[in-house]
């Protein structure tokens, strides 16, 4: 029993080290810092949310993006002093602007798939190239004055498992398997936008 506990602790420590390595890597989104947090609860079929061990006391705010070293987890929806609630990308209410990393013109909206463990990349036009095995990543904000995305670009989300289309549909049916095992999360990173420097007051100059 002691050995099992030791192995579990070592695995958890290794997982946390991997998270922190990712936070220091070039792949980590620019303009963000991170807060590491333990995952305290497990999602269910009917409730695709988890509670994490970081809250307002740690600088967490609603709509902060949550990731692991493998990819996107979801976004913070409720914040308390020392804990927060995170909606997973497999929740029915979740919608993420996403793109095929191998086909940059294939931009769609990633939503819950046919089950709590799958995703569907919707609104991909039939003329766009998407293949099984492609990697789906966050697309970031569209620009041009369109509503910005809370998710920074190029965070891995999942792998395309199947692509289908029918004569009557105007969009492809693209099924995606998340890269992160959302049913057994241990620790996560919350992305905290770096504060923008305050604009100088009118009529004043820095000396």
């Amino acid at each position: 029993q002691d050995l099992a506990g030791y192995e579990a602790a070592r695995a958890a420590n290794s997982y946390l080290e991997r998270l922190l390595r990712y936070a220091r890597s070039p792949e980590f989104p620019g303009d963000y810092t991170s807060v590491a947090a333990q995952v305290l609860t497990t999602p269910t079929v009917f409730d695709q949310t988890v509670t994490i061990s970081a809250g307002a006391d740690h600088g967490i705010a609603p709509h902060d993006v949550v990731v692991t070293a493998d990819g996107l987890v979801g976004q913070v929806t409720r914040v308390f002093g020392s804990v927060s609630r995170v909606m997973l990308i497999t929740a029915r209410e979740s919608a993420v602007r996403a793109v095929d990393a191998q086909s940059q013109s294939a931009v769609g909206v990633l939503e819950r798939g046919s089950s709590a463990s799958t995703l569907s990349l919707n609104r991909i036009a039939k003329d766009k190239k998407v293949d099984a095995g492609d990697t789906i990543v966050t697309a970031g904000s569209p620009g041009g004055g369109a509503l910005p995305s809370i998710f920074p670009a190029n965070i891995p989300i999942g792998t395309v498992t199947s692509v289908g289309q029918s004569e009557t549909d105007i969009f492809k049916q693209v099924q995606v398997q998340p890269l992160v095992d959302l049913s057994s999360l241990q620790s996560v990173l919350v992305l905290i936008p770096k504060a923008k420097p305050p604009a100088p007051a009118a009529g004043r100059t820095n000396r």
Side-chain angles (χ1 to χ4, degrees), residues 35-91:
V35 172
Q38 284 185 299
V39 177
L40 305 175
T41 61
T42 303
T44 68
V45 173
F46 304 105
D47 182 14
Q48 288 292 294
T49 65
V50 295
T51 299
I52 62 172
S53 65
D57 296 345
H58 307 85
I60 310 296
H63 308 301
D64 283 347
V65 175
V66 182
V67 301
T68 71
D70 294 316
L72 186 64
V73 169
Q75 64 170 298
V76 174
T77 51
R78 298 189 69 189
V79 179
F80 305 93
S82 58
V83 298
S84 299
R85 202 79 177 138
V86 175
M87 178 175 68
L88 304 178
I89 53 174
T90 45

Side-chain angles (χ1 to χ4, degrees), residues 59-189:
I60 310 296
H63 308 301
D64 283 347
V65 175
V66 182
V67 301
T68 71
D70 294 316
L72 186 64
V73 169
Q75 64 170 298
V76 174
T77 51
R78 298 189 69 189
V79 179
F80 305 93
S82 58
V83 298
S84 299
R85 202 79 177 138
V86 175
M87 178 175 68
L88 304 178
I89 53 174
T90 45
R92 293 192 186 280
E93 302 84 5
S94 176
V96 181
R97 188 169 182 271
V99 61
D100 186 323
Q102 284 75 34
S103 179
Q104 292 286 318
S105 66
V107 180
V109 178
L110 199 72
E111 298 173 294
R112 178 183 169 126
S114 54
S115 73
S117 61
T118 62
L119 298 165
S120 181
L121 184 60
N122 299 321
R123 306 192 72 79
I124 299 292
K126 280 185 176 178
D127 62 335
K128 304 301 181 186
K129 180 175 169 55
V130 178
D131 295 316
D134 286 359
T135 300
I136 303 302
V137 301
T138 52
S141 298
L147 194 65
S149 171
I150 65 166
F151 300 95
N154 298 317
I155 298 176
I157 304 173
T159 304
V160 175
T161 54
S162 69
V163 182
Q165 58 188 60
S166 67
E167 293 295 325
T168 53
D169 289 336
I170 59 171
F171 298 116
K172 292 179 184 286
Q173 291 108 38
V174 181
Q175 302 303 310
V176 178
Q177 182 65 38
L179 291 168
V180 178
D181 183 355
L182 299 167
S183 65
S184 60
L185 291 165
Q186 299 174 6
S187 301
V188 295
L189 290 176

